[in-house]
PDB file of all heavy atoms in Angstrom:
ATOM      1  N   ILE A 690      14.117 -59.457  64.830  1.00 92.00           N
ATOM      2  CA  ILE A 690      15.359 -58.774  65.109  1.00 92.00           C
ATOM      3  C   ILE A 690      15.072 -57.282  65.407  1.00 92.00           C
ATOM      4  O   ILE A 690      15.581 -56.723  66.367  1.00 92.00           O
ATOM      5  CB  ILE A 690      16.371 -58.911  63.943  1.00 92.00           C
ATOM      6  CG1 ILE A 690      16.898 -60.358  63.891  1.00 92.00           C
ATOM      7  CG2 ILE A 690      17.527 -57.924  64.077  1.00 92.00           C
ATOM      8  CD1 ILE A 690      17.609 -60.717  62.629  1.00 92.00           C
ATOM      9  N   ILE A 691      14.249 -56.702  64.558  1.00 88.00           N
ATOM     10  CA  ILE A 691      13.914 -55.277  64.733  1.00 88.00           C
ATOM     11  C   ILE A 691      13.249 -55.033  66.074  1.00 88.00           C
ATOM     12  O   ILE A 691      13.517 -54.052  66.778  1.00 88.00           O
ATOM     13  CB  ILE A 691      13.005 -54.774  63.577  1.00 88.00           C
ATOM     14  CG1 ILE A 691      13.810 -54.784  62.265  1.00 88.00           C
ATOM     15  CG2 ILE A 691      12.481 -53.400  63.879  1.00 88.00           C
ATOM     16  CD1 ILE A 691      12.972 -54.633  61.013  1.00 88.00           C
ATOM     17  N   ARG A 692      12.378 -56.013  66.484  1.00 87.00           N
ATOM     18  CA  ARG A 692      11.693 -55.815  67.751  1.00 87.00           C
ATOM     19  C   ARG A 692      12.579 -56.132  68.942  1.00 87.00           C
ATOM     20  O   ARG A 692      12.324 -55.653  70.054  1.00 87.00           O
ATOM     21  CB  ARG A 692      10.452 -56.695  67.797  1.00 87.00           C
ATOM     22  CG  ARG A 692       9.348 -56.130  66.919  1.00 87.00           C
ATOM     23  CD  ARG A 692       8.186 -57.099  66.734  1.00 87.00           C
ATOM     24  NE  ARG A 692       7.392 -56.693  65.612  1.00 87.00           N
ATOM     25  CZ  ARG A 692       6.082 -56.740  65.596  1.00 87.00           C
ATOM     26  NH1 ARG A 692       5.408 -57.190  66.639  1.00 87.00           N
ATOM     27  NH2 ARG A 692       5.412 -56.356  64.550  1.00 87.00           N
ATOM     28  N   THR A 693      13.560 -56.998  68.775  1.00 90.00           N
ATOM     29  CA  THR A 693      14.412 -57.360  69.885  1.00 90.00           C
ATOM     30  C   THR A 693      15.477 -56.328  70.185  1.00 90.00           C
ATOM     31  O   THR A 693      15.711 -55.966  71.342  1.00 90.00           O
ATOM     32  CB  THR A 693      15.112 -58.690  69.588  1.00 90.00           C
ATOM     33  OG1 THR A 693      14.138 -59.640  69.091  1.00 90.00           O
ATOM     34  CG2 THR A 693      15.727 -59.296  70.840  1.00 90.00           C
ATOM     35  N   TYR A 694      16.130 -55.816  69.128  1.00 90.00           N
ATOM     36  CA  TYR A 694      17.209 -54.870  69.358  1.00 90.00           C
ATOM     37  C   TYR A 694      16.774 -53.450  69.048  1.00 90.00           C
ATOM     38  O   TYR A 694      16.868 -52.972  67.929  1.00 90.00           O
ATOM     39  CB  TYR A 694      18.403 -55.260  68.453  1.00 90.00           C
ATOM     40  CG  TYR A 694      18.867 -56.674  68.697  1.00 90.00           C
ATOM     41  CD1 TYR A 694      18.566 -57.684  67.793  1.00 90.00           C
ATOM     42  CD2 TYR A 694      19.521 -57.009  69.889  1.00 90.00           C
ATOM     43  CE1 TYR A 694      18.987 -58.980  68.037  1.00 90.00           C
ATOM     44  CE2 TYR A 694      19.900 -58.297  70.143  1.00 90.00           C
ATOM     45  CZ  TYR A 694      19.641 -59.267  69.177  1.00 90.00           C
ATOM     46  OH  TYR A 694      20.034 -60.569  69.449  1.00 90.00           O
ATOM     47  N   LYS A 695      16.268 -52.824  70.102  1.00 85.00           N
ATOM     48  CA  LYS A 695      15.712 -51.499  69.860  1.00 85.00           C
ATOM     49  C   LYS A 695      16.735 -50.411  70.045  1.00 85.00           C
ATOM     50  O   LYS A 695      16.491 -49.260  69.671  1.00 85.00           O
ATOM     51  CB  LYS A 695      14.531 -51.235  70.812  1.00 85.00           C
ATOM     52  CG  LYS A 695      13.335 -52.137  70.475  1.00 85.00           C
ATOM     53  CD  LYS A 695      12.055 -51.415  70.605  1.00 85.00           C
ATOM     54  CE  LYS A 695      10.982 -52.026  69.714  1.00 85.00           C
ATOM     55  NZ  LYS A 695       9.680 -52.174  70.387  1.00 85.00           N
ATOM     56  N   ASP A 696      17.901 -50.711  70.649  1.00 86.00           N
ATOM     57  CA  ASP A 696      18.854 -49.642  70.961  1.00 86.00           C
ATOM     58  C   ASP A 696      19.886 -49.446  69.874  1.00 86.00           C
ATOM     59  O   ASP A 696      20.788 -48.608  70.024  1.00 86.00           O
ATOM     60  CB  ASP A 696      19.525 -49.949  72.308  1.00 86.00           C
ATOM     61  CG  ASP A 696      20.012 -51.402  72.349  1.00 86.00           C
ATOM     62  OD1 ASP A 696      19.501 -52.217  71.530  1.00 86.00           O
ATOM     63  OD2 ASP A 696      20.873 -51.721  73.184  1.00 86.00           O
ATOM     64  N   ILE A 697      19.788 -50.190  68.782  1.00 89.00           N
ATOM     65  CA  ILE A 697      20.766 -50.004  67.712  1.00 89.00           C
ATOM     66  C   ILE A 697      20.045 -49.701  66.385  1.00 89.00           C
ATOM     67  O   ILE A 697      19.006 -50.307  66.108  1.00 89.00           O
ATOM     68  CB  ILE A 697      21.697 -51.257  67.615  1.00 89.00           C
ATOM     69  CG1 ILE A 697      22.773 -51.034  66.562  1.00 89.00           C
ATOM     70  CG2 ILE A 697      20.935 -52.523  67.364  1.00 89.00           C
ATOM     71  CD1 ILE A 697      23.958 -51.958  66.685  1.00 89.00           C
ATOM     72  N   PRO A 698      20.542 -48.755  65.604  1.00 89.00           N
ATOM     73  CA  PRO A 698      19.883 -48.420  64.341  1.00 89.00           C
ATOM     74  C   PRO A 698      19.893 -49.590  63.364  1.00 89.00           C
ATOM     75  O   PRO A 698      20.924 -50.190  63.146  1.00 89.00           O
ATOM     76  CB  PRO A 698      20.693 -47.249  63.765  1.00 89.00           C
ATOM     77  CG  PRO A 698      21.479 -46.722  64.911  1.00 89.00           C
ATOM     78  CD  PRO A 698      21.710 -47.857  65.874  1.00 89.00           C
ATOM     79  N   ILE A 699      18.726 -49.889  62.831  1.00 90.00           N
ATOM     80  CA  ILE A 699      18.611 -50.996  61.885  1.00 90.00           C
ATOM     81  C   ILE A 699      17.854 -50.523  60.653  1.00 90.00           C
ATOM     82  O   ILE A 699      16.844 -49.804  60.795  1.00 90.00           O
ATOM     83  CB  ILE A 699      17.819 -52.193  62.484  1.00 90.00           C
ATOM     84  CG1 ILE A 699      18.513 -52.707  63.731  1.00 90.00           C
ATOM     85  CG2 ILE A 699      17.611 -53.319  61.510  1.00 90.00           C
ATOM     86  CD1 ILE A 699      17.778 -53.821  64.456  1.00 90.00           C
ATOM     87  N   ILE A 700      18.331 -50.876  59.465  1.00 89.00           N
ATOM     88  CA  ILE A 700      17.462 -50.698  58.293  1.00 89.00           C
ATOM     89  C   ILE A 700      17.319 -51.987  57.533  1.00 89.00           C
ATOM     90  O   ILE A 700      18.181 -52.840  57.556  1.00 89.00           O
ATOM     91  CB  ILE A 700      17.905 -49.611  57.293  1.00 89.00           C
ATOM     92  CG1 ILE A 700      19.345 -49.821  56.839  1.00 89.00           C
ATOM     93  CG2 ILE A 700      17.679 -48.230  57.828  1.00 89.00           C
ATOM     94  CD1 ILE A 700      19.614 -49.039  55.571  1.00 89.00           C
ATOM     95  N   THR A 701      16.178 -52.105  56.878  1.00 87.00           N
ATOM     96  CA  THR A 701      15.911 -53.295  56.067  1.00 87.00           C
ATOM     97  C   THR A 701      15.955 -52.886  54.612  1.00 87.00           C
ATOM     98  O   THR A 701      15.278 -51.944  54.226  1.00 87.00           O
ATOM     99  CB  THR A 701      14.538 -53.888  56.388  1.00 87.00           C
ATOM    100  OG1 THR A 701      14.424 -54.006  57.807  1.00 87.00           O
ATOM    101  CG2 THR A 701      14.356 -55.217  55.749  1.00 87.00           C
ATOM    102  N   LEU A 702      16.703 -53.585  53.797  1.00 87.00           N
ATOM    103  CA  LEU A 702      16.708 -53.360  52.361  1.00 87.00           C
ATOM    104  C   LEU A 702      16.092 -54.547  51.689  1.00 87.00           C
ATOM    105  O   LEU A 702      16.551 -55.662  51.874  1.00 87.00           O
ATOM    106  CB  LEU A 702      18.103 -53.125  51.806  1.00 87.00           C
ATOM    107  CG  LEU A 702      18.876 -51.970  52.430  1.00 87.00           C
ATOM    108  CD1 LEU A 702      20.296 -51.951  51.881  1.00 87.00           C
ATOM    109  CD2 LEU A 702      18.193 -50.661  52.140  1.00 87.00           C
ATOM    110  N   THR A 703      15.015 -54.343  50.964  1.00 84.00           N
ATOM    111  CA  THR A 703      14.370 -55.461  50.229  1.00 84.00           C
ATOM    112  C   THR A 703      14.805 -55.408  48.780  1.00 84.00           C
ATOM    113  O   THR A 703      14.587 -54.412  48.099  1.00 84.00           O
ATOM    114  CB  THR A 703      12.852 -55.333  50.362  1.00 84.00           C
ATOM    115  OG1 THR A 703      12.538 -55.137  51.731  1.00 84.00           O
ATOM    116  CG2 THR A 703      12.176 -56.603  49.892  1.00 84.00           C
ATOM    117  N   ILE A 704      15.339 -56.517  48.339  1.00 84.00           N
ATOM    118  CA  ILE A 704      15.858 -56.574  46.942  1.00 84.00           C
ATOM    119  C   ILE A 704      14.960 -57.449  46.130  1.00 84.00           C
ATOM    120  O   ILE A 704      14.625 -58.554  46.510  1.00 84.00           O
ATOM    121  CB  ILE A 704      17.273 -57.188  46.904  1.00 84.00           C
ATOM    122  CG1 ILE A 704      18.163 -56.598  47.996  1.00 84.00           C
ATOM    123  CG2 ILE A 704      17.882 -57.060  45.530  1.00 84.00           C
ATOM    124  CD1 ILE A 704      18.640 -55.242  47.728  1.00 84.00           C
ATOM    125  N   ASP A 705      14.538 -56.934  44.979  1.00 79.00           N
ATOM    126  CA  ASP A 705      13.887 -57.766  44.012  1.00 79.00           C
ATOM    127  C   ASP A 705      14.690 -57.653  42.740  1.00 79.00           C
ATOM    128  O   ASP A 705      15.747 -57.029  42.738  1.00 79.00           O
ATOM    129  CB  ASP A 705      12.405 -57.288  43.826  1.00 79.00           C
ATOM    130  CG  ASP A 705      11.549 -58.366  43.204  1.00 79.00           C
ATOM    131  OD1 ASP A 705      12.098 -59.410  42.861  1.00 79.00           O
ATOM    132  OD2 ASP A 705      10.357 -58.141  43.080  1.00 79.00           O
ATOM    133  N   ALA A 706      14.192 -58.203  41.661  1.00 68.00           N
ATOM    134  CA  ALA A 706      14.982 -58.156  40.446  1.00 68.00           C
ATOM    135  C   ALA A 706      14.979 -56.760  39.786  1.00 68.00           C
ATOM    136  O   ALA A 706      15.249 -56.610  38.634  1.00 68.00           O
ATOM    137  CB  ALA A 706      14.463 -59.180  39.443  1.00 68.00           C
ATOM    138  N   GLN A 707      14.697 -55.748  40.585  1.00 64.00           N
ATOM    139  CA  GLN A 707      14.646 -54.412  39.994  1.00 64.00           C
ATOM    140  C   GLN A 707      16.008 -53.915  39.664  1.00 64.00           C
ATOM    141  O   GLN A 707      16.999 -54.299  40.268  1.00 64.00           O
ATOM    142  CB  GLN A 707      13.914 -53.416  40.944  1.00 64.00           C
ATOM    143  CG  GLN A 707      14.729 -52.911  42.092  1.00 64.00           C
ATOM    144  CD  GLN A 707      14.216 -53.428  43.420  1.00 64.00           C
ATOM    145  OE1 GLN A 707      14.360 -54.571  43.709  1.00 64.00           O
ATOM    146  NE2 GLN A 707      13.622 -52.566  44.186  1.00 64.00           N
ATOM    147  N   ASP A 708      16.094 -53.068  38.677  1.00 58.00           N
ATOM    148  CA  ASP A 708      17.386 -52.584  38.180  1.00 58.00           C
ATOM    149  C   ASP A 708      17.811 -51.338  38.898  1.00 58.00           C
ATOM    150  O   ASP A 708      19.015 -51.127  39.157  1.00 58.00           O
ATOM    151  CB  ASP A 708      17.259 -52.296  36.674  1.00 58.00           C
ATOM    152  CG  ASP A 708      18.194 -53.159  35.899  1.00 58.00           C
ATOM    153  OD1 ASP A 708      19.007 -53.849  36.545  1.00 58.00           O
ATOM    154  OD2 ASP A 708      18.125 -53.158  34.663  1.00 58.00           O
ATOM    155  N   ALA A 709      16.858 -50.488  39.230  1.00 55.00           N
ATOM    156  CA  ALA A 709      17.221 -49.169  39.752  1.00 55.00           C
ATOM    157  C   ALA A 709      17.745 -49.320  41.177  1.00 55.00           C
ATOM    158  O   ALA A 709      17.102 -49.856  42.059  1.00 55.00           O
ATOM    159  CB  ALA A 709      16.008 -48.260  39.734  1.00 55.00           C
ATOM    160  N   THR A 710      18.958 -48.826  41.362  1.00 66.00           N
ATOM    161  CA  THR A 710      19.560 -48.864  42.707  1.00 66.00           C
ATOM    162  C   THR A 710      19.320 -47.591  43.462  1.00 66.00           C
ATOM    163  O   THR A 710      19.777 -47.406  44.580  1.00 66.00           O
ATOM    164  CB  THR A 710      21.062 -49.167  42.614  1.00 66.00           C
ATOM    165  OG1 THR A 710      21.594 -48.287  41.627  1.00 66.00           O
ATOM    166  CG2 THR A 710      21.309 -50.599  42.225  1.00 66.00           C
ATOM    167  N   ALA A 711      18.603 -46.644  42.825  1.00 65.00           N
ATOM    168  CA  ALA A 711      18.471 -45.306  43.422  1.00 65.00           C
ATOM    169  C   ALA A 711      17.799 -45.357  44.769  1.00 65.00           C
ATOM    170  O   ALA A 711      18.237 -44.710  45.712  1.00 65.00           O
ATOM    171  CB  ALA A 711      17.701 -44.405  42.491  1.00 65.00           C
ATOM    172  N   GLY A 712      16.767 -46.158  44.905  1.00 75.00           N
ATOM    173  CA  GLY A 712      16.037 -46.246  46.174  1.00 75.00           C
ATOM    174  C   GLY A 712      16.944 -46.733  47.303  1.00 75.00           C
ATOM    175  O   GLY A 712      16.920 -46.224  48.426  1.00 75.00           O
TER     176      GLY A 712
END
Side-chain angles (χ1 to χ4, degrees):
Chain A
I690 288 167
I691 292 166
R692 285 171 197 220
T693 313
Y694 303 106
K695 291 221 155 136
D696 47 343
I697 183 161
I699 299 177
I700 55 163
T701 311
L702 300 177
T703 311
I704 314 285
D705 200 355
Q707 77 248 73
D708 242 353
T710 47

